[in-house]
Amino acid sequence: MKVLKFGGTSVGSPENMRAVMNLVTDGEQKIVVLSAMSGTTNSLVDIANYLYKKNKDTARIFIGKLEDKYKQVVEELFTSDDNKKKGLQVVHEAFTTIKSFTSGTFNLVGENTILAQGELISTNLVTLLMNENGHRTKLLPALDFMKIDEDKAADLHFIRDNIKAVFQKIGEADYYITQGFICKDANGEINNLQRGGSDYTASLIGAAIDADEIQIWTDIDGFHNNDPRYVENTQKIEQLSFNEAAELAYFGAKILHPQTVLPARIQNIPVRLKNTMNPTDGGTLITSDSDGRGIKAVAAKDGITAVKIRSGRMLMAYGFLKNIFEVFEKYRTPIDMISTSEVAVSLTIDNTLNLNKIKEDLGKFGTVEVDEDMSIVCIVGDIIEEEKGFASKVFNALDGIPIRMISYGGSRHNISVLVPTVNKKETLQTLSSKLLNH
Ligand code: ADP
Ligand code: ASP
Ligand code: MG
């Protein structure tokens, strides 16, 4: 069985929802993972933020606007009065839940429950639509099997066991629809796989059922060799290895949630990226093979903070790095890049939740400097094969860019440079013209 995920734009209007229905109903049994309609999760985040700020009146205005939008969607989506009524009931239930948080104190459970409503609405509406059009379709409730643990890591064992049970409970259908993004956490509360997480849902389900293929359908024809939001004339890549795709996704290529590739790689399930607006295009195929050598693509990840610890005690001493790493471990803060000299170590983090405590603890080992608003630009490909002169090619291309850190040699798939975010666009553009499209 295949797992197909459709993103926000792909289900962004009644017309697009119908296009998705026509695409998936080819007689082959499948699981379809849906995001919320485009713009919905952003609106729900805004609503939650107003509630946190106790700005309840503004929250109510935005809730009302969003509800009106969905009533219009229902009106346009269904033909029969009976289904229009059922569609309105779906919308009514979701908005009753959202409105219930406009009184009393607001907390994380409220926020996560509000954020979940977008996927709950889109999946219920598309399931109704498909049945109205004679396609035997059932809803697989993601909250009954998608789970994260205390460390917010997906619990694949739980997902595998419980999706089986849910299949048995709901019985046979030609098409199964489920919610991307949403899950339960270790406390049994509604939670999510972070923004863009529907891709990750699809790969987790793919791994859990040992799918033949995981397809991520979106609004572009596949993985491009640079970020089309910042660079013109980017080109589609036909094929990527799991490792290359994982590095690109982790380092900011928005087309894939950072963790999407991992479950697919473990089970060796091909991942195909496809364009909902141009379904006959082959898209990008991600497998264990790497075709071709050299540089494939670049990507950038924003919101990076660089931390530098300088200490005379580091000179000729062992145990220094261990002490430094222990601080980050203590505050559960992952490190992305690292670079050392005899007297200093620089590293980068993107989670600054405990930065002040980290700084305080690191202060015991030396002088600490922090640089915010940085971006990691990551150059990915089968790089080791690129003979001599590779590094100089990259550095020549980056001539004039203020590079703050470099990581080279950690993996054969990745060279990363740290630049101030204000220089990110320029960095991506110069890499495109001098390294990728020459
Ligand atoms: P969806 O809502 O379908 O999940 P996303 O907006 O999350 O879609 O991802 C698709 C978008 O990712 C594209 O429209 C494009 O602007 C952006 N993007 C960023 N980097 C890349 C890349 N390297 N290749 C393709 N698209 C990219
Ligand atoms: N709807 C969620 C978001 O906008 C998840 C997703 O679309 O992948 O982040
Ligand atoms: Mg996405």
Side-chain angles (χ1 to χ4, degrees):
M1 192 148 58
K2 286 184 181 142
V3 180
L4 280 67
K5 175 259 168 175
F6 291 86
T9 321
S10 304
V11 292
S13 65
E15 193 189 344
N16 288 5
M17 285 177 171
R18 259 182 235 114
V20 167
M21 171 177 74
N22 294 335
L23 262 173
V24 301
T25 48
D26 56 2
E28 208 180 289
Q29 193 180 44
K30 55 178 67 68
I31 300 179
V32 177
V33 178
L34 299 181
S35 294
M37 294 179 81
S38 55
T40 297
T41 313
N42 285 345
S43 300
L44 295 172
V45 168
D46 290 344
I47 289 165
N49 285 338
Y50 285 121
L51 291 174
Y52 273 124
K53 285 187 239 154
K54 299 195 168 49
N55 197 343
K56 293 183 179 176
D57 289 339
T58 315
R60 284 194 191 100
I61 293 171
F62 280 94
I63 295 169
K65 278 189 184 162
L66 196 61
E67 187 172 11
D68 288 346
K69 180 190 137 171
Y70 274 103
K71 285 181 179 163
Q72 187 61 34
V73 168
V74 167
E75 185 54 42
E76 290 172 30
L77 196 60
F78 301 106
T79 326
S80 76
D81 285 344
D82 188 36
N83 279 317
K84 282 185 189 182
K85 224 166 122 189
K86 285 182 186 156
L88 285 178
Q89 186 55 29
V90 167
V91 173
H92 176 73
E93 268 171 38
F95 281 88
T96 305
T97 304
I98 296 172
K99 286 173 198 165
S100 73
F101 294 102
T102 57
S103 49
T105 49
F106 193 62
N107 59 19
L108 192 61
V109 174
E111 178 186 351
N112 287 336
T113 308
I114 288 181
L115 256 54
Q117 302 308 314
E119 272 72 10
L120 289 168
I121 299 175
S122 65
T123 48
N124 274 288
L125 293 185
V126 173
T127 304
L128 265 176
L129 174 75
M130 288 180 50
N131 283 309
E132 177 172 72
N133 286 272
H135 306 293
R136 220 162 53 108
T137 308
K138 285 191 172 162
L139 194 70
L140 276 178
L143 296 178
D144 289 355
F145 61 89
M146 288 299 298
K147 186 167 174 259
I148 51 173
D149 62 20
E150 291 86 355
D151 291 327
K152 297 199 165 173
D155 186 342
L156 191 53
H157 287 292
F158 182 95
I159 297 168
R160 194 174 275 133
D161 291 346
N162 285 274
I163 198 169
K164 267 194 207 127
V166 173
F167 270 124
Q168 269 166 9
K169 193 172 138 200
I170 67 172
E172 206 38 39
D174 294 333
Y175 309 106
Y176 297 98
I177 309 270
T178 191
Q179 297 88 16
F181 181 57
I182 64 173
C183 61
K184 288 273 181 79
D185 62 21
N187 302 321
E189 303 285 3
I190 296 182
N191 212 310
N192 61 63
L193 304 173
Q194 310 289 322
R195 294 305 306 272
S198 298
D199 304 332
Y200 192 29
T201 301
S203 69
L204 286 166
I205 293 178
I209 65 155
D210 205 7
D212 304 322
E213 188 167 285
I214 297 158
Q215 298 183 350
I216 308 291
W217 290 75
T218 182
D219 56 3
I220 188 164
D221 58 353
F223 220 118
H224 279 222
N225 63 357
N226 205 329
D227 193 325
R229 292 169 301 170
Y230 303 106
V231 178
E232 283 175 13
N233 300 324
T234 57
Q235 281 150 22
K236 184 185 87 172
I237 308 167
E238 299 285 331
Q239 210 266 341
L240 279 170
S241 69
F242 286 129
N243 289 332
E244 291 162 346
E247 302 255 18
L248 287 164
Y250 185 72
F251 285 106
K254 189 189 175 228
I255 188 167
L256 276 186
H257 176 279
Q259 278 148 299
T260 310
V261 178
L262 307 178
R265 178 168 63 186
I266 294 168
Q267 302 279 112
N268 199 16
I269 302 169
V271 178
R272 200 182 277 280
L273 308 186
K274 299 268 293 173
N275 188 353
T276 315
M277 322 311 161
N278 184 14
T280 51
D281 189 279
T284 297
L285 183 63
I286 304 167
T287 64
S288 55
D289 309 323
S290 174
D291 83 330
R293 291 172 182 164
I295 300 160
K296 294 264 182 69
V298 301
K301 181 173 170 181
D302 296 338
I304 303 294
T305 299
V307 182
K308 184 187 270 185
I309 307 105
R310 203 188 295 273
S311 166
R313 271 179 290 162
M314 191 178 165
L315 198 67
M316 311 288 281
Y318 55 83
F320 184 81
L321 284 178
K322 176 173 163 278
N323 292 337
I324 301 286
F325 288 149
E326 270 173 2
V327 173
F328 289 88
E329 192 188 334
K330 178 173 163 196
Y331 295 108
R332 296 177 165 221
T333 302
I335 297 169
D336 280 329
M337 277 176 83
I338 169 149
S339 129
T340 64
S341 78
E342 273 300 318
V343 291
V345 49
S346 289
L347 38 82
T348 69
I349 57 173
D350 67 357
N351 176 355
T352 51
L353 210 65
N354 291 308
L355 184 60
N356 284 335
K357 289 182 201 148
I358 290 173
K359 258 161 68 179
E360 205 180 306
D361 283 19
L362 289 176
K364 290 179 216 143
F365 307 115
T367 328
V368 183
E369 281 169 40
V370 171
D371 271 326
E372 285 166 342
D373 300 322
M374 309 293 280
S375 295
I376 295 177
V377 174
C378 163
I379 301 149
V380 165
D382 202 355
I383 283 160
I384 218 125
E385 310 288 351
E386 265 261 355
E387 318 233 317
K388 295 169 202 144
F390 171 72
S392 67
K393 240 200 235 171
V394 172
F395 295 130
N396 284 338
L398 291 172
D399 190 25
I401 305 282
I403 300 175
R404 305 291 272 269
M405 267 173 80
I406 297 165
S407 167
Y408 177 36
S411 124
R412 64 183 275 170
H413 306 287
N414 173 345
I415 295 180
S416 302
V417 293
L418 186 73
V419 299
T421 302
V422 287
N423 300 105
K424 175 188 79 169
K425 189 170 170 184
E426 173 190 5
T427 309
L428 291 174
Q429 284 170 344
T430 189
L431 287 170
S432 243
S433 60
K434 296 191 185 149
L435 213 56
L436 296 168
N437 307 338
H438 52 263

